Every structure is written in structure tokens, then in C-alpha cells.
Amino acid sequence: MRRTTTLRTKLSALLLLGTWATAGALPASAADAPPRSTDAPASSALLSAMQRDLGLTRGEAVARLAAEKTATAVEHKARNAAGSAYGGSWYDAGSGKLTVAVTRAAHADAVRATGATVRLVRFSARQLDAAKKSIDALSAPARVGSWHVDPKANKVVVDVVAAHRDDNDVRDFLSRARKAGPVTVRETPAAPRTFAAGTVGGDPYYTGNVRCSIGFSVHGGFVTAGHCGSPSAAVYGWDRSYIGNFQGSSFPGNDYAWVNVGSGWWTVPVVLGWGTVPDQLVRGSAEAPVGASVCRSGSTTHWHCGTVLAKNETVNYSQGAVHQMTKTSVCAEPGDSGGSFISGDQAQGVTSGGWGNCGSGGETWHQPVNEILNRYGLRLHTA
């Protein structure tokens, strides 16, 4: 990908590298700030995908994005107002508001004053997080898919493959997990897997015989999934020209990596629309609450949308457990690994793995982008 290529080729490469990108970057330490105010409308690509995957009209999609942006800004204030009584929060699509769980009624008025709805619960977020941490220390069998704190249920939810719920090792794991705190079990049709793929011509980037998708652009490169490549491994673009190398990579335990960019390649603050829909600008990385809508761009299945189902989930892949993941109802397939998750115009994370496909549906996890930025001291590019 050289500067002497045609304008069309140059723009294609620029967009491919900038599956997520930015120019006026914010430091990773600013990740918890509310999304930057902007009057820019949502792209047609984002609205069309939300209409298709969430069953919304265009007007409903626009209204939901506005309500979710408000909920994201309210979440930090509400958490501070709840203090030690905080039990978690989630976006409620029915009311269009953030719901905050609290363990003491005395804190309810202060939380409501922030604009959130209040629900009284038994266990605080600190208690539930401690229970999950204890479960993280256990050795999980292959047919236990994942576990996370569910603020709405006020419990730790453990997902097990339905056909193996009665296996002795699964039952033993669940027995030990219940000793850690309030646990409920949910059945899932399949175990999670990563979404890397063998080499296929014409796709965004390759390393060895693996194809993955570019995540968000940062100053000096881009972030992606850790299972896609090891440190120092060479990375090549869609046209097989050299891009750079993996500068850092972690998997399992985590699933994140970053690649330096050079050799005539460069980045822009865009999520790729794949030539069939307009591209989406990235304006920040404010983390969307549970229940909010989220969309994904990947080199295999392109644009798909869903909702955030859980945060800080431990996913039990065959290669080992990965912690602090976000679970979504968005589908994905092999080759989508490393690709971009976005909510509105805010970067959320890079695709890790899941179960199912985009024909029959499924669930997909992403590694939160702010964690990656902080881990490697990177700065996200924003429009």
C-alpha cells in the first residue's frame, strides 16, 4: 500500500486500517469521562443496522441513541450518589432511562436526582464482584462457558452448555461456585470460541495463516484481539503489503493486542462500512451501560447490532479463561476477531469470540477498548 497508488486504492486502505480511528486523541486516562458533546447525526450505516438487528424504526433508533447517550452520562453521577450502596446499573429500553440498584433506601433520592431510576436490592456491587473473583480462582471445565455479575438479577450468572449441565465436573464446579455467593445458572446452546480464521483473499489483515479484523486506530497503530498474533509477528494488509508488527499481545487471561502502522499505511477515525453503507466516525470511548445498543464491524460479516448483555464476564475458552469481557447479543463469525464494537459514536471494544453465527444468531464478547489503551499506554484517535 504505497502513496503512489490511485486515490481509490488509497482511500480503501485508509478506511481498512481505520476500522476505528481518530485524530485529536484523548489520553486513556480520560476514558471514564462522558461522551463528548456533538450535534453530528448518527450515520445511515448505524441506523440501518439497528433497524435490521434490533427491530426498530429509523425514528426509534435515533431516539434510542439519544437516550443511551444520556444514560451513559448519568451512570457516573448515579454511582457516586449511591456510594457503598451501589448495586450495579443498566439501561432500560422500555423506559429509556438508566436503572441503578441500591442496597439502602436512604440513598434512593440522591440517585433519582441524577436522572436514574432506582431499584432496591440485597447485594452490593462490591459483594457481587467479590463473589465473582472467588469463582475466577476456580478451575472451570470446558462446558462451563462463562460467568458474570448481573446487576438486574443481583446475582452472579454462570452460563453452562445445556447438553452438559448434568455432567459431574460441571455439577462440581457449580457446587463450589455457589459457596462463593449468590449464583444462578443459565443454559447456553454452545461453548464460546474465538473468531480468527484461516487465510481468505481480499480481507483486512493477515498474520501467518490467520485472518482477523482491525479494531480501533490509536496513535502509531491499531488495537485488535490478542489471539490473532504473538508479539513481533508481522502483519499484512488486505493487499498483502506489509503494515507493521504486533507490539504487544496477551491471550488467554486477556484478549488484546496492538500493532504498529508504517510502510505507507495510515489511519483515520472511521469504522468501515464496507462500501455498502456509509462509514461511522469514532468520537470517544465512553463505556455504554448494560442494556444499551451496540454494533460491530468485522471483515467476515460486516455490520451487525445488538445490546450489551453483561460486563466484567469471565469467558472460558478452550485455550484458557479470559477476564473482564463484555458480552453482547451481536452475532459474529470466524475472521471477525479483533474488529470494532461501537455504541453510537463511542468506541467500546475489540471482538474476541462467542458462539453461534449471523445466520442463526448467537452471542459475542469483546475486550473493552479502554482497558487496552490503559494497558499499553495508547491514545485513541477520535474525529
Side-chain angles (χ1 to χ4, degrees), residues 16 65 91 128 190 230 243 248 360:
L16 280 169
L65 287 174
Y91 174 76
L128 294 173
S230 302
I243 295 176
S360 59

PDB file of all heavy atoms in Angstrom, residues 16 65 91 128 190 230 243 248 360:
ATOM      1  N   LEU A  16      -9.713   0.710   5.635  1.00  0.00           N
ATOM      2  CA  LEU A  16      -9.496  -0.610   6.207  1.00  0.00           C
ATOM      3  C   LEU A  16      -8.631  -0.542   7.447  1.00  0.00           C
ATOM      4  O   LEU A  16      -8.894  -1.195   8.442  1.00  0.00           O
ATOM      5  CB  LEU A  16      -8.844  -1.530   5.164  1.00  0.00           C
ATOM      6  CG  LEU A  16      -9.821  -2.119   4.145  1.00  0.00           C
ATOM      7  CD1 LEU A  16      -9.050  -2.780   3.029  1.00  0.00           C
ATOM      8  CD2 LEU A  16     -10.758  -3.097   4.797  1.00  0.00           C
ATOM      9  N   LEU A  65     -30.565   6.037  20.554  1.00  0.00           N
ATOM     10  CA  LEU A  65     -29.188   6.519  20.666  1.00  0.00           C
ATOM     11  C   LEU A  65     -29.101   7.753  21.553  1.00  0.00           C
ATOM     12  O   LEU A  65     -28.174   7.892  22.361  1.00  0.00           O
ATOM     13  CB  LEU A  65     -28.621   6.819  19.280  1.00  0.00           C
ATOM     14  CG  LEU A  65     -28.276   5.603  18.416  1.00  0.00           C
ATOM     15  CD1 LEU A  65     -27.871   6.055  17.013  1.00  0.00           C
ATOM     16  CD2 LEU A  65     -27.164   4.784  19.044  1.00  0.00           C
ATOM     17  N   TYR A  91     -29.158   0.006  31.357  1.00  0.00           N
ATOM     18  CA  TYR A  91     -30.075   0.823  30.568  1.00  0.00           C
ATOM     19  C   TYR A  91     -31.347   0.033  30.325  1.00  0.00           C
ATOM     20  O   TYR A  91     -31.311  -1.118  29.901  1.00  0.00           O
ATOM     21  CB  TYR A  91     -29.434   1.194  29.226  1.00  0.00           C
ATOM     22  CG  TYR A  91     -30.373   1.915  28.282  1.00  0.00           C
ATOM     23  CD1 TYR A  91     -30.684   3.251  28.474  1.00  0.00           C
ATOM     24  CD2 TYR A  91     -30.958   1.241  27.221  1.00  0.00           C
ATOM     25  CE1 TYR A  91     -31.555   3.918  27.613  1.00  0.00           C
ATOM     26  CE2 TYR A  91     -31.827   1.889  26.352  1.00  0.00           C
ATOM     27  CZ  TYR A  91     -32.121   3.230  26.557  1.00  0.00           C
ATOM     28  OH  TYR A  91     -32.987   3.867  25.699  1.00  0.00           O
ATOM     29  N   LEU A 128     -20.997  -8.640  45.066  1.00  0.00           N
ATOM     30  CA  LEU A 128     -21.120  -9.489  43.880  1.00  0.00           C
ATOM     31  C   LEU A 128     -19.779  -9.626  43.162  1.00  0.00           C
ATOM     32  O   LEU A 128     -19.420 -10.710  42.692  1.00  0.00           O
ATOM     33  CB  LEU A 128     -22.173  -8.921  42.935  1.00  0.00           C
ATOM     34  CG  LEU A 128     -23.607  -8.926  43.468  1.00  0.00           C
ATOM     35  CD1 LEU A 128     -24.530  -8.174  42.515  1.00  0.00           C
ATOM     36  CD2 LEU A 128     -24.112 -10.342  43.689  1.00  0.00           C
ATOM     37  N   ALA A 190     -24.130 -23.467  23.187  1.00  0.00           N
ATOM     38  CA  ALA A 190     -22.797 -23.869  22.735  1.00  0.00           C
ATOM     39  C   ALA A 190     -21.732 -23.191  23.570  1.00  0.00           C
ATOM     40  O   ALA A 190     -21.983 -22.185  24.228  1.00  0.00           O
ATOM     41  CB  ALA A 190     -22.615 -23.509  21.262  1.00  0.00           C
ATOM     42  N   SER A 230       1.106 -13.167  17.979  1.00  0.00           N
ATOM     43  CA  SER A 230       2.061 -13.069  19.092  1.00  0.00           C
ATOM     44  C   SER A 230       2.954 -11.846  18.912  1.00  0.00           C
ATOM     45  O   SER A 230       3.107 -11.331  17.798  1.00  0.00           O
ATOM     46  CB  SER A 230       2.933 -14.329  19.148  1.00  0.00           C
ATOM     47  OG  SER A 230       2.135 -15.485  19.297  1.00  0.00           O
ATOM     48  N   ILE A 243       2.314  -4.033   6.888  1.00  0.00           N
ATOM     49  CA  ILE A 243       1.793  -2.938   7.704  1.00  0.00           C
ATOM     50  C   ILE A 243       2.723  -2.640   8.868  1.00  0.00           C
ATOM     51  O   ILE A 243       3.145  -1.514   9.099  1.00  0.00           O
ATOM     52  CB  ILE A 243       0.394  -3.271   8.268  1.00  0.00           C
ATOM     53  CG1 ILE A 243      -0.640  -3.404   7.148  1.00  0.00           C
ATOM     54  CG2 ILE A 243      -0.048  -2.194   9.247  1.00  0.00           C
ATOM     55  CD1 ILE A 243      -2.014  -3.829   7.648  1.00  0.00           C
ATOM     56  N   GLY A 248       2.507  -5.736  21.187  1.00  0.00           N
ATOM     57  CA  GLY A 248       2.115  -6.340  22.454  1.00  0.00           C
ATOM     58  C   GLY A 248       0.909  -7.220  22.217  1.00  0.00           C
ATOM     59  O   GLY A 248       0.077  -6.925  21.358  1.00  0.00           O
ATOM     60  N   SER A 360     -28.050 -17.943  12.240  1.00  0.00           N
ATOM     61  CA  SER A 360     -28.984 -18.408  13.270  1.00  0.00           C
ATOM     62  C   SER A 360     -28.931 -17.571  14.537  1.00  0.00           C
ATOM     63  O   SER A 360     -29.770 -17.730  15.423  1.00  0.00           O
ATOM     64  CB  SER A 360     -28.667 -19.869  13.625  1.00  0.00           C
ATOM     65  OG  SER A 360     -27.339 -19.999  14.089  1.00  0.00           O
TER      66      SER A 360
END
